[in-house]
Amino acid sequence: TLFRSKLNNPYLTAVIPLFWTVVDYMCGRIQSGLEHSQKAVANLDRIAVGVAWEKVTSNVMLIWFLGWGGRIRELSERLPPILEDARSRGDVYAGAFIRCFTTAHLVDLAADRPDEAMEDVAFALSRWRKTQYDFQHFGAAFATVECQLYAGRVELARARVLSEWKAMSGSLLFRKAQTPRILLFSMRGRTALAAWLRDRMNRKLLREVEHFARKLMNTGAPWAEAISLMLRAGVLAGRDEGGKALLLLERAEYILREQDLRLLAAAVMRRRGELEGDAGTERIQAADAIMRSENIVRPDRMTFMILPGAY
């Protein structure tokens, strides 16, 4: 701040919040990331020329934090003009980055349009380079898997993960960066859980869920701990051990609220209500009300995507 005030450089003043968004992303800090990305977007809008890349990146980070933070209504309002700006300028980088790195697919899922979301992701990825496996390829796989889970097409979600697993796990994207690793483990764990729930005698799938739950816990990140607890609760619920599952879900929901991950917290709240039977009706209704306030048409499908299971 001292150097910035002495330099009095408008560009530097504009991009410092953008640099902070990268730190927030790596640390999984939703509220801080939202504040920094909103400030970066506003600052860069005041600079007329020479900051196209910076503007795209600030919008990409804003979309990511809005989606993961569960601000789907605001995301639904902000996304169309951002995409239209990229389209009007013929910006392939922006189109691929927005569709294949962020949480843009959640807008279509909220509107109960998983197939449209996958089409948009596939088109954006088709225009991207194919010489190496990078964030765009992983983001496209992640979005597609979430869309398939939302639609209940567990086999297709699982097939996409397995078909790209070697490329994913072998790339440098996940060696040092904690957030991509958490997303990777979450995706693999959720698809394994969804598959195990359809074949509960398959101990290989069960071991896989438990393996990635441990890997999530070992990251040391609070939100990864919450996802780990969710996976373990899914297994317990699948074994008809609802009481034990409820304890894990209660802890997971507390962490998610502390981390400002509102959509995930609402999904966990809904699962808690389902496990509680008649006594959980009000909890389910409260979770549904939260999701519908964010323009989510099918809270039940969104919940299945976040935490597969038949509770």
Side-chain angles (χ1 to χ4, degrees):
T1 304
L2 176 62
F3 290 133
R4 181 178 61 187
S5 62
K6 286 186 175 181
L7 288 171
N8 194 26
N9 184 314
Y11 175 80
L12 183 60
T13 301
V15 298
I16 283 177
L18 177 58
F19 297 155
W20 272 112
T21 66
V22 178
V23 178
D24 294 325
Y25 169 78
M26 293 300 180
C27 296
R29 299 190 305 225
I30 299 298
Q31 188 57 50
S32 178
L34 276 171
E35 292 171 2
H36 285 132
S37 57
Q38 288 167 343
K39 187 176 292 185
V41 169
N43 287 350
L44 289 162
D45 280 345
R46 290 193 286 268
I47 299 179
V49 295
V51 289
W53 179 87
E54 291 86 343
K55 285 184 176 181
V56 168
T57 306
S58 64
N59 279 317
V60 163
M61 299 310 294
L62 176 60
I63 293 168
W64 195 90
F65 286 112
L66 285 172
W68 268 95
R71 279 77 165 177
I72 311 302
R73 180 183 290 273
E74 183 177 352
L75 177 57
S76 301
E77 295 168 355
R78 286 183 176 264
L79 183 61
I82 292 172
L83 287 171
E84 175 57 26
D85 175 69
R87 187 203 62 78
S88 66
R89 293 184 292 104
D91 193 333
V92 173
Y93 168 80
F97 212 16
I98 291 166
R99 284 292 185 189
C100 303
F101 175 79
T102 70
T103 54
H105 64 288
L106 293 180
V107 172
D108 282 318
L109 292 188
D112 198 28
R113 299 191 302 254
D115 292 331
E116 287 87 338
M118 288 188 290
E119 288 173 6
D120 288 337
V121 169
F123 175 75
L125 188 64
S126 71
R127 307 181 72 195
W128 190 244
R129 65 188 180 194
K130 300 175 177 63
T131 54
Q132 65 187 54
Y133 197 91
D134 53 29
F135 274 125
Q136 282 75 5
H137 297 97
F138 171 67
F142 186 89
T144 301
V145 166
E146 291 212 318
C147 289
Q148 298 287 24
L149 284 176
Y150 174 94
R153 297 189 283 256
V154 173
E155 295 84 359
L156 292 177
R158 179 84 175 150
R160 181 63 181 264
V161 173
L162 295 179
S163 68
E164 293 192 28
W165 188 253
K166 184 177 180 180
M168 290 176 189
S169 56
S171 75
L172 297 176
L173 302 176
F174 311 99
R175 299 288 176 87
K176 299 292 184 181
Q178 184 181 81
T179 293
R181 281 204 306 276
I182 293 171
L183 298 178
L184 181 72
F185 299 158
S186 167
M187 178 176 65
R188 183 73 185 258
R190 279 184 289 161
T191 58
L193 174 60
W196 174 74
L197 288 165
R198 296 188 174 193
D199 182 12
R200 300 185 197 189
M201 298 302 292
N202 190 325
R203 295 196 60 81
K204 183 178 178 182
L205 284 171
L206 179 59
R207 287 194 297 271
E208 186 176 326
V209 179
E210 293 169 341
H211 173 73
F212 285 99
R214 284 194 301 273
K215 290 181 81 69
L216 284 161
M217 189 67 75
N218 290 340
T219 65
W223 65 297
E225 177 185 349
I227 297 171
S228 175
L229 293 170
M230 290 159 62
L231 291 175
R232 288 170 171 162
V235 170
L236 289 169
R239 288 173 162 170
D240 295 323
E241 298 181 61
K244 293 180 181 179
L246 275 170
L247 292 175
L248 297 187
L249 290 177
E250 183 178 2
R251 173 62 181 164
E253 185 180 342
Y254 174 80
I255 295 171
L256 293 169
R257 292 194 185 282
E258 286 285 301
Q259 297 296 308
D260 209 21
L261 289 157
R262 299 178 184 180
L263 180 56
L264 273 64
V268 172
M269 179 196 292
R270 196 177 201 281
R271 288 306 197 198
R272 286 179 64 193
E274 291 168 359
L275 280 175
E276 290 167 342
D278 292 340
T281 300
E282 289 187 8
R283 202 182 300 278
I284 294 172
Q285 291 173 344
D288 287 355
I290 291 170
M291 291 197 204
R292 290 197 176 104
S293 73
E294 296 294 344
N295 290 344
I296 295 171
V297 175
R298 291 288 304 272
D300 57 332
R301 300 309 313 162
M302 193 68 80
T303 298
F304 183 87
M305 179 200 80
I306 293 167
L307 179 50
Y311 283 62

